[in-house]
């Protein structure tokens, strides 16, 4: 049995049994993967994959168990390599972050600039996607860290560390009637068409919950995953925009920004990473740059309790999360 064979099994499974896609990801040939998997099955005396002709359609019961154990073995092999690299080249390596447009556009730039300045020998990759895609990338190892507001809690394989609280703002044109309101209410907002985030993005669930509690049915006429796209359609007069307050900056001078923090419950952005993952020194530093209260000591304590059924951070006491106001 070879590690390469186990890697092939896991990669084929991760790619929905598409051998050609797995071969592309692993920079090898489709025939080579098929040959090695067949060789593994012959050695073990069991069929790992369900086949229909030459095509793989799924895992057999034995294959499901083998795939799960193989994934664990490969993670431990990666951890061994991580330990070796940390001792031989502590300031060299790679860091892959999966996150949303809001984080990558408005929050991460100064953090990444500072990180690259401190660690020029670390290759940093930034992947954007939906919160579900981001979380899945951290679970399967495509990304080291997932940074998002929604969906991370749906993945039990992730250790979640809360980074900061944030709330929302309204964006309207200069002549909009809401600019004359001294104290905005949700009833005021619900009178106008709304342009906001697609469900599942950037705390959208908190927005819907707030209207629902008051029995209001807002007219959401347009949704997007990108705050800049939302702003474009507010400028076109499609409706009032509801965006993360941190997504409002100096480029929005043609729009009026109205505070909406009293209308909605705050949301919390977290960083998540795989349970059992060994973090490099520069990874701890990145987390602390992004969320200064998450020192290496705090993260290590959370990792010690990451196998606990309870939220590991509850075992550490309440952390005083900062509020993002920009």
């Amino acid at each position: 049995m070879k590690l390469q064979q186990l890697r092939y099994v896991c990669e084929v499974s991760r790619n929905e049994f598409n051998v050609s896609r797995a071969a592309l990801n692993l920079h090898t040939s489709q025939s080579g993967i098929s040959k090695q998997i067949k060789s593994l099955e012959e050695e073990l005396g069991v069929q790992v994959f369900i086949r229909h002709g030459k095509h793989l359609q799924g895992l057999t019961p034995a294959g499901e168990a083998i795939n799960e154990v193989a994934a664990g073995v490969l993670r431990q092999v990666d951890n061994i390599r991580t330990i070796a690299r940390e001792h031989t080249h502590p300031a060299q390596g790679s860091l892959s972050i999966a996150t949303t447009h809001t984080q990558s556009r408005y929050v991460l730039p100064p953090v990444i600039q500072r990180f690259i300045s401190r660690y020029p020998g670390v290759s940093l990759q930034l992947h954007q996607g939906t919160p579900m895609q981001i979380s899945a990338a951290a679970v399967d190892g495509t990304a080291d860290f997932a940074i998002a507001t929604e969906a991370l809690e749906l993945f039990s394989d992730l250790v979640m560390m809360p980074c900061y609280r944030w709330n929302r703002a309204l964006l309207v044109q200069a002549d909009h009637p809401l600019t004359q309101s001294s104290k905005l209410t949700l009833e005021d907002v619900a009178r106008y068409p709304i342009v906001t985030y697609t469900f599942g993005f950037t705390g959208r669930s908190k927005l819907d919950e707030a209207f629902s509690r008051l029995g209001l049915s807002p007219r959401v006429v347009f949704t997007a995953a990108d705050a800049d796209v939302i702003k474009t359609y507010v400028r076109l007069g499609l409706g009032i925009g509801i965006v993360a307050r941190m997504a409002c900056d100096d480029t929005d001078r043609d729009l009026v920004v109205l505070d909406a923090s009293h209308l909605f419950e705050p949301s919390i952005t977290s960083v998540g990473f795989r349970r059992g993952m060994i973090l490099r020194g520069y990874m701890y530093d990145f987390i602390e740059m992004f969320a200064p209260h998450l020192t290496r000591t705090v993260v290590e304590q959370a990792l010690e309790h990451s196998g606990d059924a309870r939220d590991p951070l509850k075992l550490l006491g309440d952390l005083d999360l900062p509020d993002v106001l920009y």
Side-chain angles (χ1 to χ4, degrees), residues 5-312:
Q5 293 171 325
L6 301 183
R7 197 173 300 280
Y8 287 169
V9 168
C10 292
E11 190 66 19
V12 169
S13 300
R14 192 171 70 84
N15 283 276
E16 299 176 336
F17 313 107
N18 187 318
V19 179
S20 60
R21 193 189 307 160
L24 185 64
N25 291 343
L26 293 174
H27 308 289
T28 188
S29 67
Q30 182 175 342
S31 60
I33 287 181
S34 297
K35 181 179 178 180
Q36 287 298 323
I37 288 176
K38 192 67 177 174
S39 176
L40 176 65
E41 290 178 324
E42 290 174 355
E43 178 184 349
L44 296 176
V46 295
Q47 191 169 322
V48 176
F49 291 99
I50 299 169
R51 291 173 171 82
H52 182 72
K54 294 183 178 181
H55 300 287
L56 304 183
Q57 292 189 321
L59 289 164
T60 64
E64 289 179 359
I66 290 168
N67 182 61
E68 183 177 350
V69 173
V73 169
L74 293 173
R75 282 195 292 269
Q76 292 305 316
V77 169
D78 288 341
N79 282 341
I80 291 171
R81 291 188 176 125
T82 296
I83 292 169
R85 286 192 291 265
E86 185 64 15
H87 283 80
T88 55
H89 303 288
Q92 295 180 15
S94 64
L95 176 60
S96 178
I97 300 165
T99 190
T100 61
H101 169 268
T102 299
Q103 302 297 328
S104 61
R105 166 69 174 80
Y106 296 103
V107 183
L108 282 171
V111 178
I112 289 176
Q113 183 181 39
R114 183 181 169 196
F115 179 84
I116 290 176
S117 177
R118 182 180 297 182
Y119 293 103
V122 175
S123 172
L124 197 150
Q125 299 90 40
L126 193 65
H127 307 280
Q128 288 184 204
T130 69
M132 289 295 289
Q133 290 170 336
I134 291 164
S135 302
V139 170
D140 67 25
T142 304
D144 298 307
F145 294 152
I147 298 175
T149 300
E150 310 226 15
L152 293 183
E153 70 279 0
L154 301 178
F155 290 79
S156 60
D157 291 335
L158 294 181
V159 177
M160 290 169 46
M161 309 290 292
C163 298
Y164 63 85
R165 286 189 195 85
W166 58 270
N167 217 308
R168 293 144 191 83
L170 303 185
L171 287 173
V172 298
Q173 294 181 336
D175 59 350
H176 197 281
L178 286 182
T179 61
Q180 304 304 312
S181 176
S182 58
K183 183 72 171 179
L184 285 174
T185 67
L186 282 176
E187 287 84 359
D188 294 331
V189 176
R191 293 190 185 101
Y192 301 95
I194 293 172
V195 181
T196 192
Y197 297 106
T198 302
F199 189 79
F201 277 83
T202 318
R204 169 65 191 275
S205 57
K206 297 285 187 184
L207 186 151
D208 292 340
E209 288 168 6
F211 285 109
S212 179
R213 278 196 299 268
L214 296 182
L216 299 172
S217 299
R219 288 183 292 147
V220 179
V221 297
F222 181 86
T223 64
D226 185 327
D228 293 331
V229 173
I230 292 171
K231 295 173 189 179
T232 296
Y233 286 89
V234 172
R235 291 184 174 100
L236 291 175
L238 201 64
I240 62 174
I242 304 180
V243 299
R245 179 64 183 84
M246 59 210 169
C248 303
D249 56 24
D250 291 341
T251 64
D252 305 320
R253 291 175 180 172
D254 58 325
L255 298 173
V256 177
V257 180
L258 303 174
D259 179 52
S261 59
H262 61 291
L263 301 179
F264 306 103
E265 289 292 322
S267 292
I268 295 176
T269 290
S270 299
V271 57
F273 48 88
R274 294 185 309 283
R275 295 183 187 277
M277 175 182 173
I278 292 180
L279 301 185
R280 300 283 305 272
Y282 59 75
M283 293 178 175
Y284 284 108
D285 282 352
F286 178 88
I287 292 174
E288 188 169 354
M289 288 180 192
F290 184 63
H293 61 285
L294 295 179
T295 63
R296 180 166 184 158
T297 300
V298 170
V299 175
E300 286 178 339
Q301 284 181 286
L303 286 172
E304 287 178 12
H305 298 288
S306 64
D308 197 290
R310 293 171 288 170
D311 182 342

